Each structure stands twice: as C-alpha cells, then as structure tokens.
Amino acid sequence: MARLEVEGICKGWDFPVIDDLSFSVEEGEFFVIVGPSGIGKTTLLRLISGLETPDQGVVRVGGRDMTALPPYRRRIAMTFESYALYPHMTVYENIASPLRARKAATSEIDERVRSVANLLRIEQLLQRKPGEVSGGQKQRTALGRTLVADPEVFLLDEPISHLDAKIRHELRTQFHALEDLRRVATVYVTHDYAEALSLGDRIGVMGAGGQLEQVGAPRDLFERPDNIAVARHMGQPTINVIAARLKRRDGGMRVDAAEGTLSFRIDDSHAPLFERYTKDDVTVGLRPQFLRPVKDGQTAADTIEAEVDIFEPLGASGIMLAKSGGVRLTALTDPEAHYDAGDRVTLAVSTDRFHFFDAVTGRNLAGSA
Amino acid sequence: MAVTTANSEAQLQQTSTVADRWRAVRYLFLAFMALWLLFTLFPLYFMVITAFKSAAETNLTVPTFWPNEWFPQNFAGVFAEATNFNALVDSFIIATANTALALFLGSLAGYAFARFPKQAGGENLAFWILSNRMFPPVAILVPMFFLFDNTPWGTDSHLSLIILYLVFNLPLATWLMMVFFRDAPREIEEAAYLDGWTPMKAFVRVTLPLVLPGMISVAMLCWIFAWNEYLFANLFVGTDVRTYTIVIPTFTHGSQTLWNLQMAFSLIAMIPPVTMFILLRRYMVRGLSLGVVKG
C-alpha cells in the first residue's frame, strides 16, 4: 500500500509559503490541488518529492517517513511545469533514464520504454531530441519518463497548462485513460478549475494562507464552497459576488446590494441558514449560469432589469457583462443569442441558487458540507 | 485628404533621411572593420613572409613585402638542433596538463559556486578567486621563483609550470564554468535526481553535457594562455625543460637576430592552436552563446 500522507508541513523563505498544511492521498486516488498562480503549489510538490526540505512536518509514503530521504532514494516521480527534459538525449533515452538509474536490464528497458511510448502515442518520436518535437510531445515525453519508473507517488505540476486548448483537452482525456495513474497516489497541481473538476477524485483548493482552504469531491467544491475564495476560484466565468444587506420580513427575505439599488428576493429554502446568523451584512454569491436573459415572450418568477456592457459570444455559450442598479453582474446566455453594448435586458434570477457568506470572514453560512 | 498626403510625404522624407544616416553609419563601420583587419592581419602576413626570407633580406633597411628569394630551408634550420623540437613537446605537455587540471578543479569549484553559493563561501570568495587574475604577473614573478625553488622538483620542471599557470587559468576556468553552470537549468538536474540518479551521477550524465560547449571554450582559452606564456617560463625553466617561447629568442647569430628562423619557428608553433581552434570552432561559438540556445 502506498498511501501518501503530508502532515503539518511548513516551508518559508522570507515569508511563509506553506503553513501547517496536511492532507493524504490514497493509493489509486487522483488528488488535484487547484489554486491561483504563485500560491505555493509547486513548492508543495517539491517538498513531497524531496527537492526541498520542509521547515516542519512529515511526508509519509506507505506509512514510512520520507522527510529525511533525498529525492533519489524516494520512489516518487514528478513532472515539471517546464518539462525539464534532457536536451542532449533522445526521447527514448529521456524516458529510459529512471530505468537506467536503477540499472535495469537492456531488454527490460527497451520493452518498458516502447510500451510507455506506445501508450502515449510517441513511439515514432523515440529517436528525436526534445528540441525537435512539439510542446505536446515534450509533455508526453516528460509524462513517459515518470510513468516508466513505476513509482509509488506521482506528482504532476501543471502538466498541460502550457499547451494549446485542443491538445490540452486531448491530454486531459488521456489522463483519464492512463491505467498506471490509477494504481498509485497521484497529486496533480493546476490553476485551471476545469482541469481539476475533470480529473480529480478529490480536489484541494489552495489559498493565500499556504493552506488548503477546502478539500472535497468536485461537485462539493462547486456546489458547497466553504468560503468566497473557493467559490471564486471554482467556476468560469467567476461567480458574482455582491456585498449586501439582509432584509428580514414576515413571510420572506430580501437582500439589497450595499451599493446601488439592486435588490433580490431570497427563496424560502435558504431561510434556515439565517436562524443562527444575527448580522444584517452578508456577502451574496450567484453563479453566472443562474442569471440568464429572459427571451421575448417568456416569463420568469424573479427578474431584474439590466443594461449590457460587454457581450462575449463564445460559441457554446455567451458571457454577458451587465450593470443593474449600479452593480456589475456576469450572466450566461444561450449559444445563439446576441447582444450589443447598451441593450436593455431582463435577467431571470434563480433565487434558490444563492450562496451566502459571512460579510467579514467570508465563510459560507451553510457551513462546511 | 490633402493634409494627410502632405503628412505622409513629410513622413516619407523623414524615413529616407533616417535610412541615409543608417547607410552612412554602415559605411563608416565597414571602413573601420577594414582598418581593423589590416591592423590585425598585417603582422601575421609579415611573419609568414619573413619566415621564408633569407637572413640577409630580413636585415634590409627598406623591408621587402614579398620575398626576393624564397628560403623554405629556414624550416629545416630551426630543427638543426634536435632539442628545439623537444621544446614544442615540453610546451605541449605543460599546456595540456595545466588545462586538464584547471578544467577539472575549475568545473568543480564553478559548480559549487553556481549551485551552493552559501556553502561554497559566497560571492566574495568567488570574486576573490577571480581577482587573482587582476594583479600584474610581474608582481609575483620573484616570490614565485623562490617558492618553487624550494619544492623537491625545483623550478626547472614541467610540474612547476603546470602548477604555476593554475594561478592564472584556475580563476578563469572557475569563473566561466560558474557562469555556464548558472545558465544550465537547475530543473533538468532535479529531474535526474527524481529519476533516481545521485547528485554525482546526475552531474556527469546531465549537467556536464549541457555545459560541454562552454567547457571546450574554456579549455581553449586556458590552453592558449599556457602555450604562449613567456614571462615565467623564461625565469623558471631552461635546462631540463624548455618551452618553445623561450627557444625563439635563441635564434641569433652573434649580435644579429635571425628573424627568419624566429618567424619560421613561430609559424610552426602556431599550428597546434590554430588546428585546435578550427576543429573546435563549432563548440566555441555554441559555448559563447550557451545561455541563448538552451532548452
């Protein structure tokens, strides 16, 4: 059993980067750490791999304490964001490197390299140098080098972020298909929430404090974010966040935007949330897909009037940036819809889809799921 | 409309004056380069033709720029004494051994300064090593003589000059190799650790090949310095060991300098470095642009 455990790990240079961070990844689990750039995700992987020594805390693989072992004594494979291929060696030799390090027999090396290359569909490139293959092929080579090693833990650092969108999608689907990744504990780092939702068995959202803000299944993170930072990070376009004031009335509640005249009715299903919340100030989150333009001839229960600022037709959907009652909002539209700046629209609000956060701490009033 | 046309014409005129100015700068540059070529190549030319002149012709008050009579026997003349050929061998042994030592020590030191600056003593120590190259060699000429005179092997030996030239070549090798190692991406080395290679093996398998072109350039610079050194060789050696640089001034006849033989021997002494340079030119250019072509 090779379960990866990271316990109370700390690392800082002039300022703390990772602060008392803990998590564990089961064998066969695909754990994705998502977070904005520069937050310490790569540092975390370097700590697990042994390229950096933690100031505090323990890294265990299969129950054994690895913290003091140098990287070449750990059975941990890692891909680098820059690929870090050996420029003077062929693709074949790059992939064979971990096997040569442990002095495998030539026939075994050949067999393993070819099977990995076949899996990643780079077998026709084996005799080329890294400088002679494309970005996606470089990434596959780097991946091949980690797959061939048969490690206990896989660390993947932004493996597909620098590729163009089409290859990114292709490689993303390929990750799903890689059986080898399903037999070890994998930690996959990305800043792209869609990658995280697509690939992760579980996802950890890393925040500015050098800790994991929330760990959970993809749906949980998306539908029940613990705090505003998680809600903001998961989802594209970004969730609408409005500072607002609660109006409690008999038979229902409303929120009024703190600035401007925007006002929403709140669905009764939300009411239990506010039984313990005594303050009036609240931060409201509403994802753009729950704010949709009402087409001519249709009606909706709750609507607001808005004026279009910018409209981006993206093919599969459209993103509308609009202003209503002095508040900027993002709405999602149908694929065939078209709007011009200045158009007046009516937006239907799904009043049962609000998220409510503490105005000061940013914590979700629904509590952690 | 008329206004725009006038504007664009003015603009056009402006661009053409800029182009004229650039053309003038280019011609000036070419003229300067031509002068520079003449300045550097003429001594070489004069050396070559002098090597083929008779002794009498080299002493004419008005020098000839083309030999009146060709004297290829000068080349046989310089080897009339068998020991003169040995001088080339001695120079070769000293230059090659010194270069190998400077590269070996310089690479290790340069690597340490590049990758572990704190543990290796930091910028100050690295700069101190470089500063050893800055004082005038004459300043240490006599102290060095007494120092090496007290060694078991004495001053008149290969070993003395091999070690002594490290004073000049080791700082050069250390400093340049440090720069090359700094330019070699660290992640590639780290990838090798994760593949399971120990730091020493990763250094040999991955880092060294990355800096090899740079290393060859450094080797050339060190070798040429040691091959051409005269000042220390002149004081240190002369009986058991003789470098070619101290043999050249010995081609005299009474009070007369035999320029033709001196130039012939110089020409022969140029062959090894020039051959090496031609063979390794490819690497040298790559070495000098190492940081640009990585990845």
Side-chain angles (χ1 to χ4, degrees):
Chain A
M1 279 297 279
R3 178 173 191 259
L4 169 71
E5 291 164 282
V6 173
E7 206 178 286
I9 211 162
C10 296
K11 182 72 182 177
W13 283 272
D14 297 334
F15 54 92
V17 176
I18 308 277
D19 188 12
D20 193 21
L21 190 151
S22 303
F23 68 92
S24 65
V25 184
E26 300 299 327
E27 187 177 66
E29 190 180 24
F30 204 103
F31 186 70
V32 178
I33 292 177
V34 64
S37 304
I39 210 92
K41 303 188 296 289
T42 298
T43 304
L44 178 60
L45 291 192
R46 292 172 62 87
L47 287 166
I48 298 171
S49 67
L51 292 173
E52 302 283 355
T53 318
D55 298 335
Q56 254 180 63
V58 182
V59 176
R60 272 191 224 98
V61 177
R64 278 179 304 135
D65 185 349
M66 294 276 172
T67 322
L69 283 185
Y72 47 89
R73 300 241 181 282
R74 304 183 185 195
R75 287 186 56 198
I76 294 179
M78 173 167 162
T79 64
F80 290 78
E81 196 174 349
S82 65
Y83 313 145
L85 298 175
Y86 312 127
H88 57 294
M89 295 184 195
T90 58
V91 168
Y92 183 100
E93 280 305 318
N94 265 283
I95 296 174
S97 174
L99 299 175
R100 295 218 189 277
R102 78 169 83 117
K103 301 194 172 69
T106 317
S107 57
E108 189 203 332
I109 290 175
D110 197 63
E111 190 187 322
R112 288 283 297 159
V113 170
R114 285 186 195 286
S115 86
V116 165
N118 188 39
L119 186 71
L120 294 168
R121 289 182 285 129
I122 48 173
E123 62 270 62
Q124 73 286 3
L125 306 171
L126 285 174
Q127 295 316 316
R128 295 210 201 152
K129 296 262 176 78
E132 300 161 351
V133 304
S134 72
Q137 291 163 340
K138 274 187 197 147
Q139 182 52 62
R140 285 167 215 231
T141 307
L143 206 56
R145 187 172 62 185
T146 51
L147 285 173
V148 83
D150 200 17
E152 293 174 320
V153 175
F154 266 120
L155 306 175
L156 304 166
D157 189 2
E158 303 261 6
I160 58 180
S161 308
H162 299 296
L163 306 174
D164 63 65
K166 275 213 175 94
I167 300 173
R168 201 155 66 217
H169 184 76
E170 191 189 323
L171 276 181
R172 204 162 78 194
T173 46
Q174 219 169 356
F175 273 116
H176 283 293
L178 287 176
E179 274 304 310
D180 285 354
L181 288 183
R182 299 288 159 185
R183 288 202 300 266
V184 296
T186 304
V187 182
Y188 182 107
V189 153
T190 179
H191 67 268
D192 181 350
Y193 90 99
E195 258 171 52
L197 290 179
S198 154
L199 292 169
D201 295 328
R202 272 190 314 145
I203 298 174
V205 181
M206 200 158 165
Q211 288 168 329
L212 294 179
E213 301 259 8
Q214 187 177 359
V215 177
R219 282 218 80 79
D220 283 349
L221 289 183
F222 194 73
E223 289 171 5
R224 286 182 290 281
D226 267 359
N227 57 42
I228 288 185
V230 175
R232 276 214 169 104
H233 201 83
M234 307 300 285
Q236 181 67 37
T238 312
I239 190 168
N240 291 298
V241 175
I242 307 154
R245 192 154 292 140
L246 275 174
K247 300 282 181 200
R248 299 159 206 260
R249 294 196 198 100
D250 298 331
M253 287 193 291
R254 290 189 74 81
V255 283
D256 294 340
E259 286 170 26
T261 57
L262 186 64
S263 176
F264 294 112
R265 187 182 70 85
I266 301 173
D267 192 80
D268 291 342
S269 62
H270 285 310
L273 283 186
F274 297 99
E275 277 162 17
R276 277 170 295 130
Y277 191 70
T278 51
K279 292 180 275 184
D280 284 340
D281 288 334
V282 72
T283 305
V284 179
L286 182 65
R287 295 204 181 273
Q289 53 268 45
F290 301 125
L291 197 59
R292 289 183 159 274
V294 181
K295 286 183 205 149
D296 293 338
Q298 287 185 336
T299 52
D302 293 272
T303 59
I304 53 173
E305 297 300 317
E307 188 182 321
V308 178
D309 268 349
I310 299 169
F311 176 70
E312 298 178 289
L314 296 181
S317 65
I319 297 173
M320 176 195 291
L321 302 178
K323 205 177 249 173
S324 176
V327 178
R328 287 177 161 278
L329 294 169
T330 311
L332 219 56
T333 74
D334 290 336
E336 65 273 17
H338 183 82
Y339 301 90
D340 289 309
D343 283 359
R344 297 208 59 84
V345 288
T346 304
L347 300 173
V349 183
S350 308
T351 53
D352 55 341
R353 297 301 192 137
F354 283 115
H355 295 282
F356 297 95
F357 304 98
D358 189 301
V360 180
T361 63
R363 290 200 59 76
N364 194 333
L365 298 187
S368 50
Chain B
M1 189 62 195
V3 179
T4 10
T5 324
N7 267 350
S8 60
E9 260 168 23
Q11 232 164 21
L12 210 72
Q13 212 153 21
Q14 213 170 4
T15 17
S16 70
T17 47
V18 169
D20 284 347
R21 212 170 295 156
W22 273 113
R23 202 169 301 138
V25 168
R26 232 188 61 179
Y27 285 139
L28 260 175
F29 178 72
L30 286 176
F32 175 77
M33 289 310 282
L35 266 175
W36 179 252
L37 262 182
L38 200 69
F39 181 74
T40 51
L41 288 183
F42 181 76
L44 274 174
Y45 166 77
F46 206 66
M47 177 180 112
V48 173
I49 56 161
T50 307
F52 286 98
K53 286 176 182 176
S54 68
E57 197 181 339
T58 60
N59 282 319
L60 293 177
T61 332
V62 181
T64 53
F65 291 97
W66 192 252
N68 292 329
E69 202 182 339
W70 289 81
F71 255 76
Q73 49 268 54
N74 288 342
F75 290 91
V78 294
F79 292 123
E81 260 181 87
T83 50
N84 288 350
F85 181 76
N86 291 345
L88 289 171
V89 175
D90 281 344
S91 282
F92 188 85
I93 290 171
I94 291 166
T96 306
N98 171 261
T99 301
L101 214 54
L103 267 190
F104 178 70
L105 297 174
S107 296
L108 294 181
Y111 184 76
F113 282 127
R115 289 287 191 260
F116 314 102
K118 272 205 193 106
Q119 293 92 319
E123 281 285 302
N124 287 338
L125 184 63
F127 188 76
W128 175 75
I129 288 176
L130 182 72
S131 72
N132 278 335
R133 263 221 108 179
M134 294 176 183
F135 56 75
V138 173
I140 56 162
L141 185 60
V142 175
M144 280 296 176
F145 180 83
F146 286 117
L147 196 67
F148 279 93
D149 201 31
N150 280 309
T151 56
W153 54 87
T155 52
D156 193 8
S157 63
H158 291 122
L159 192 57
S160 279
L161 287 189
I162 289 169
I163 294 173
L164 177 70
Y165 291 163
L166 283 180
V167 173
F168 308 98
N169 277 342
L170 193 53
L172 181 82
T174 303
W175 196 264
L176 285 178
M177 289 313 294
M178 176 180 80
V179 173
F180 291 136
F181 282 126
R182 267 188 198 157
D183 280 354
R186 190 182 195 139
E187 284 193 340
I188 293 184
E189 227 170 284
E190 291 176 337
Y193 299 161
L194 289 169
D195 283 354
W197 299 101
T198 60
M200 196 62 207
K201 282 189 181 142
F203 178 76
V204 174
R205 266 179 67 88
V206 176
T207 317
L208 223 45
L210 283 179
V211 299
L212 189 66
M215 215 170 175
I216 289 172
S217 310
V218 176
M220 284 295 297
L221 292 172
C222 288
W223 196 88
I224 287 171
F225 171 86
W227 177 255
N228 287 342
E229 209 283 330
Y230 173 71
L231 181 67
F232 283 89
N234 191 34
L235 186 68
F236 272 50
V237 296
T239 314
D240 297 339
V241 175
R242 296 198 314 160
T243 65
Y244 88 89
T245 50
I246 67 165
V247 166
I248 289 179
T250 64
F251 292 114
T252 52
H253 183 72
S255 63
Q256 193 194 1
T257 306
L258 298 173
W259 291 112
N260 52 345
L261 294 191
Q262 293 197 357
M263 291 304 112
F265 200 56
S266 299
L267 204 57
I268 291 166
M270 267 178 64
I271 293 171
V274 169
T275 316
M276 244 183 260
F277 190 87
I278 290 170
L279 287 176
L280 301 175
R281 190 178 41 185
R282 206 162 53 90
Y283 292 99
M284 284 199 70
V285 174
R286 262 175 65 201
L288 298 174
S289 59
L290 193 69
V292 188
V293 292
K294 74 182 172 199

